[in-house]
Amino acid sequence: MLSRTEDLQLLVAVVDSGGFSAAARQMDVPVAKVSRAVQRLEQRLGIPLLNRTTRSVTLTSEGRAYIERVRVGLSALEEAEEAMRLSQVRPSGRLRVDAATPFVLHQLVPLIGAFRDHYPGIELELSASDSIINLLEQRTDVAIRIGGLEDSTLHARLLGRSPLHLVASPHYLERHGVPVSPAALRDHQLLGFLNADSLDRWPVEGLPQEGPNIQAHLRTSSGEVMRQLCLAGEGIACMSRFMIRHDLEKGALVGLMMDRMISPNSREMVQAVYYRNTALSGRIGAFLDFVAPRLRL
C-alpha cells in the first residue's frame, strides 16, 4: 500500500474539519505534520486532492472520489482491529444513547433488561428527544434516527425499515366513516406535527408528494402524543409501524388505504448515527449488534 494509514486519517480530518489548523487541533498534532501528510498523498497519487485558498479548503473532483473510498477503507480497518480487541475483552464503560420518545418506549425499553444482563460492564444512559440533536453538544454517543440523513460527517448504520401507516381508532371510524380514497381525507379530522412540514407529507398515492399535502386539524410535536390522540379517537394519523404494531395487532388502531401507501420511502429508514471513536466503538458495536436483530420494526 503506497499511502500510510496515518496520512489518510489526517486527510479525512482536514476534509471533515474544513482546514489544516482545525484538523491539527482535532488530531492533536502540529499543523506542519498535517500539511506534509496531504502533500505526500498528492505526490504519490500524482493528482491534487484539495483546493486551497486563504479562507477555505475544498476537495477537488478527484479528491472527492478518493476520499469516499478512503473512508470505506479506514472504516473497514478500524472494524477489523476492533473485532480483534473485542474477542479478547468484554466492552465496558458509559454509553449514551438517544432516540425519539416513541422509539425508546416501544423498541428499546423492552430490550434493555436482556442487554444489561448480556453486557453488565456497559453503563447505559437513555435519553428521549423528539427533535434532531447535535451529538457533541448533547454528549450523546449514538443516536437512532428515523428517516434520511443530511449530516455527512456522521457514520450511519441502517437498522431496518419501518413502514408508514395511515391509522385511526375503531371509535373514530364508527363516528366519521372509513375514507376509501385520498380525496376523502379532506372530510376527516387529520392529526399533524408542529414545525415539521416533511412529516405532514403523507406518502399516499393520489396526494402531491412535494411539501405538506394534508390540512391538519390538530397538531403536536410528539409522536407518542399523536399515538395517544389517535387511540382516543381524535382523528387519522400517519405513523411508523414500530410504534403502533401492538395497537394494530390488538385492533386498537385500524390501518387505512394500505394499498395506496408509497413504499419504499426515506421516512421509513431507521438508522443509528455516531462519530467514529475508537474508545467507544466497542460499546456502540455491542449495543447495535444486540438490538438490531431484536427490533420489531
Side-chain angles (χ1 to χ4, degrees):
M1 187 167 112
L2 294 177
S3 302
R4 294 187 301 177
T5 300
E6 185 181 25
D7 289 351
L8 297 174
Q9 291 171 330
L10 291 173
L11 172 64
V12 171
V14 171
V15 174
D16 288 347
S17 64
F20 287 82
S21 297
R25 289 192 298 271
Q26 177 182 320
M27 303 296 286
D28 195 23
V29 297
V31 176
K33 182 173 183 177
V34 178
S35 179
R36 287 195 298 270
V38 175
Q39 289 175 0
R40 279 194 296 269
L41 289 171
E42 291 180 325
Q43 289 171 359
R44 288 167 182 159
L45 295 170
I47 56 172
L49 299 173
L50 301 173
N51 295 313
R52 304 162 175 83
T53 69
T54 57
R55 294 187 176 182
S56 66
V57 175
T58 59
L59 285 167
T60 63
S61 58
E62 295 84 1
R64 189 173 297 107
Y66 182 65
I67 200 72
E68 290 178 1
R69 298 195 176 196
V70 167
R71 289 187 193 278
V72 173
L74 289 176
S75 178
L77 180 59
E78 289 180 10
E79 289 176 3
E81 292 176 345
E82 186 64 20
M84 292 299 99
R85 284 193 291 270
L86 288 177
S87 66
Q88 304 299 321
V89 62
R90 299 283 285 177
S92 62
R94 182 179 300 174
L95 181 66
R96 303 178 179 93
V97 180
D98 180 87
T101 302
F103 198 91
V104 172
L105 292 175
H106 298 284
Q107 295 295 316
L108 296 185
V109 168
L111 303 178
I112 296 306
F115 175 80
R116 294 179 67 193
D117 289 343
H118 199 73
Y119 292 102
I122 295 181
E123 181 185 343
L124 196 61
E125 294 184 359
L126 283 177
S127 61
S129 303
D130 288 322
S131 59
I132 299 299
I133 65 166
N134 182 301
L135 270 64
L136 294 180
E137 290 180 359
Q138 300 297 323
R139 300 175 69 237
T140 296
D141 301 320
V142 58
I144 297 177
R145 294 182 178 172
I146 315 301
L149 300 175
E150 296 181 0
D151 192 341
S152 61
T153 66
L154 294 172
H155 293 272
R157 173 172 168 178
L158 181 66
L159 301 179
R161 291 179 176 273
S162 186
L164 290 162
H165 294 288
L166 294 192
V167 293
S169 70
H171 178 59
Y172 173 87
L173 297 175
E174 288 173 6
R175 288 186 295 138
H176 299 278
V178 178
V180 295
S181 70
L185 292 173
R186 290 195 296 264
D187 300 322
H188 283 265
Q189 301 293 309
L190 308 183
L191 305 179
F193 283 93
L194 284 169
N195 304 318
D197 287 350
S198 63
L199 299 183
D200 283 345
R201 183 170 61 249
W202 290 5
V204 180
E205 291 179 1
L207 294 181
Q209 292 303 306
E210 294 182 3
N213 58 12
I214 65 161
Q215 181 61 48
H217 299 80
L218 180 58
R219 298 181 183 276
T220 177
S221 61
S222 166
E224 184 59 24
V225 171
M226 178 171 289
R227 171 176 169 268
Q228 293 295 334
L229 288 170
C230 203
L231 287 168
E234 295 300 328
I236 298 173
C238 180
M239 290 183 285
S240 298
R241 186 171 65 189
F242 74 78
M243 61 186 295
I244 56 171
R245 174 188 287 273
H246 293 304
D247 300 323
L248 291 171
E249 291 174 351
K250 294 186 301 181
L253 291 177
V254 177
L256 305 172
M257 291 185 280
M258 306 292 286
D259 59 335
R260 303 296 293 270
M261 301 300 291
I262 298 173
S263 185
N265 185 287
S266 62
R267 280 178 58 191
E268 297 177 351
M269 299 173 69
V270 180
Q271 303 183 81
V273 295
Y274 51 94
Y275 287 103
R276 177 67 68 184
N277 184 317
T278 302
L280 279 168
S281 57
R283 280 165 266 170
I284 292 174
F287 179 76
L288 297 180
D289 288 345
F290 185 88
V291 302
R294 295 171 173 82
L295 296 175
R296 298 194 68 199
L297 302 176

